[in-house]
Amino acid sequence: MRLSRLLSRLALGAALFSLWLGSAVAQQERVALTDDMIDSLTLFLSSLSDDQTDKAMYSFDDEERFNWHFIPRTRNGISFNDLNGNQQILASQVLQTFLSGTGYRKVEQIRSLESVLKEIEVDGRFVRDPMAYFLTVFGQPSQDGAWAFRLEGHHVALNWTFAGGNGIASSPQFFGSNPAEVRGGPLNGLRVLSTEEDLGRELVLSLDTAQKSLAILEVAVPGDIYTGAEDDIVPFPDTGIAWDGLRSAQQLTLMNLIEEVAGAQPDAISTARMSDVRANREQIRFAWIGGTGLSAGHYWRVQGQNFLIEYDKTQNEANHIHLVWRDFDGDFGRDLIRLHYDAVAAEYGAGHRH
């Protein structure tokens, strides 16, 4: 009996040590990634003139940090149009640091679709420009203070927030694709968000009749993602099919779908995202609205305890996709900032001005 208890304790200790070691390694990876991000941004910012710096940089507390959207509109920050050749190279290196290879490729392909739209929309009401993508820095990049970085343009809205070494917040994360499938010209056949579309459809088509009655919501297909460009969101009601209502193969498809969206971020971020997702997978629900055919307008969402993914393909005769990842507490780094300011208050007192 004593030997059994001893072995149990040793096994528990080994498991706890493994968890601690994994957490420590993950923290080291995030710190290293933050260092790389700071270095790439510092190099880019150092190449700017004073006038360019005024465009590119805001204080961390400026309300502009929450002024985000994914439609064609007037934007703040510094665009690729404002940069010379060397500065554009440095800006691209920043994006390659802040994104995974997959995420960077999606950004570049989405930018290329502006040229496709320019050909389709003769005398259209929007200016279609692959260079009209803006980089904005809020605060001074460092491992200690609070700061943020944003990349934004038509169909790209990506936000990263840092607060005193507590981690990296990476939402809202938005990608869009218009056309969803290019049907002519040099880019014929390009489907930027094909994996997200195909995995969502694969999952809903795999459901049996009883499962579909839970997953498919009998409501009108929305014209866009429900959350739009709101700066703060709350969870949807518990609609759709729950994780434990799916068979194991379906659960794998759903997890692959979530991982595809998370995988736009570098490994240190996406691994942390997926670790949280898997730890709370019983809270996940999948909902579908609309038809399931290849040309049918449709919408799906995946909601977990801490996150929401929304996908909509209804506009332009169902050839136009919007896709967003949101965190209920973590958008714009709200959870990290709370931790940061709590730590500052604990060290210096509640009245300390940081």
Side-chain angles (χ1 to χ4, degrees), residues 149-221:
F149 173 64
R150 179 177 74 200
L151 171 68
E152 188 173 295
H154 180 223
H155 278 164
V156 173
L158 305 174
N159 301 268
W160 293 268
T161 310
F162 307 77
N166 287 317
I168 306 170
S170 55
S171 62
Q173 170 191 300
F174 179 96
F175 293 109
S177 180
N178 181 23
E181 179 181 3
V182 181
R183 296 169 179 166
L187 297 178
N188 183 50
L190 175 63
R191 298 171 63 219
V192 178
L193 302 175
S194 59
T195 304
E196 295 87 340
E197 176 179 357
D198 294 345
L199 283 174
R201 182 177 290 106
E202 177 184 335
L203 177 55
V204 75
L205 289 177
S206 75
L207 303 178
D208 61 32
T209 301
Q211 289 175 315
K212 285 180 179 177
S213 71
L214 296 171
I216 300 177
L217 309 183
E218 297 299 330
V219 297
V221 183

Side-chain angles (χ1 to χ4, degrees), residues 51-284:
D51 288 343
Q52 289 175 315
T53 300
D54 288 342
K55 284 186 175 182
M57 297 196 72
Y58 285 76
S59 71
F60 180 76
D61 294 328
D62 198 294
E63 284 299 309
E64 173 62 26
R65 191 163 65 87
F66 304 100
N67 177 27
W68 80 288
H69 218 305
F70 43 83
I71 62 173
R73 66 166 187 166
T74 300
R75 288 184 156 85
N76 296 313
I78 190 162
S79 79
F80 280 83
N81 281 315
D82 299 320
L83 305 175
N84 63 34
N86 181 62
Q87 292 168 334
Q88 289 177 12
I89 292 172
L90 293 175
S92 294
Q93 290 173 351
V94 169
L95 302 188
Q96 290 175 66
T97 305
F98 276 75
L99 291 159
S100 67
T102 298
Y104 180 71
R105 183 175 66 252
K106 287 179 181 179
V107 167
E108 293 302 287
Q109 289 177 336
I110 290 167
R111 288 178 61 195
S112 74
L113 292 178
E114 292 297 282
S115 297
V116 175
L117 289 174
K118 189 174 182 178
E119 293 294 322
I120 294 172
E121 301 171 346
V122 179
D123 298 324
R125 63 192 182 101
F126 298 117
V127 175
R128 302 301 187 181
D129 183 1
M131 304 296 281
Y133 286 77
F134 292 73
L135 291 77
T136 315
V137 180
F138 301 90
Q140 187 62 46
S142 74
Q143 282 283 7
D144 301 320
W147 62 280
F149 173 64
R150 179 177 74 200
L151 171 68
E152 188 173 295
H154 180 223
H155 278 164
V156 173
L158 305 174
N159 301 268
W160 293 268
T161 310
F162 307 77
N166 287 317
I168 306 170
S170 55
S171 62
Q173 170 191 300
F174 179 96
F175 293 109
S177 180
N178 181 23
E181 179 181 3
V182 181
R183 296 169 179 166
L187 297 178
N188 183 50
L190 175 63
R191 298 171 63 219
V192 178
L193 302 175
S194 59
T195 304
E196 295 87 340
E197 176 179 357
D198 294 345
L199 283 174
R201 182 177 290 106
E202 177 184 335
L203 177 55
V204 75
L205 289 177
S206 75
L207 303 178
D208 61 32
T209 301
Q211 289 175 315
K212 285 180 179 177
S213 71
L214 296 171
I216 300 177
L217 309 183
E218 297 299 330
V219 297
V221 183
D224 203 343
I225 55 175
Y226 285 106
T227 53
E230 297 173 15
D231 65 1
D232 197 7
I233 65 168
V234 296
F236 287 91
D238 287 337
T239 52
I241 188 167
W243 173 264
D244 60 9
L246 298 172
R247 298 187 295 274
S248 58
Q250 294 167 334
Q251 291 174 344
L252 178 60
T253 301
L254 178 53
M255 198 58 74
N256 288 340
L257 175 58
I258 299 169
E259 194 159 19
E260 176 65 24
V261 185
Q265 301 289 336
D267 285 348
I269 298 176
S270 61
T271 299
R273 276 186 173 185
M274 293 307 300
S275 178
D276 182 70
V277 168
R278 291 190 175 94
N280 298 286
R281 57 186 177 274
E282 291 81 6
Q283 307 299 318
I284 296 173

Side-chain angles (χ1 to χ4, degrees), residues 34-53:
T34 303
D35 280 337
D36 291 342
M37 290 169 158
I38 292 168
D39 289 345
S40 67
L41 262 183
T42 301
L43 187 60
F44 169 68
L45 292 172
S46 69
S47 76
L48 303 181
S49 68
D50 290 344
D51 288 343
Q52 289 175 315
T53 300

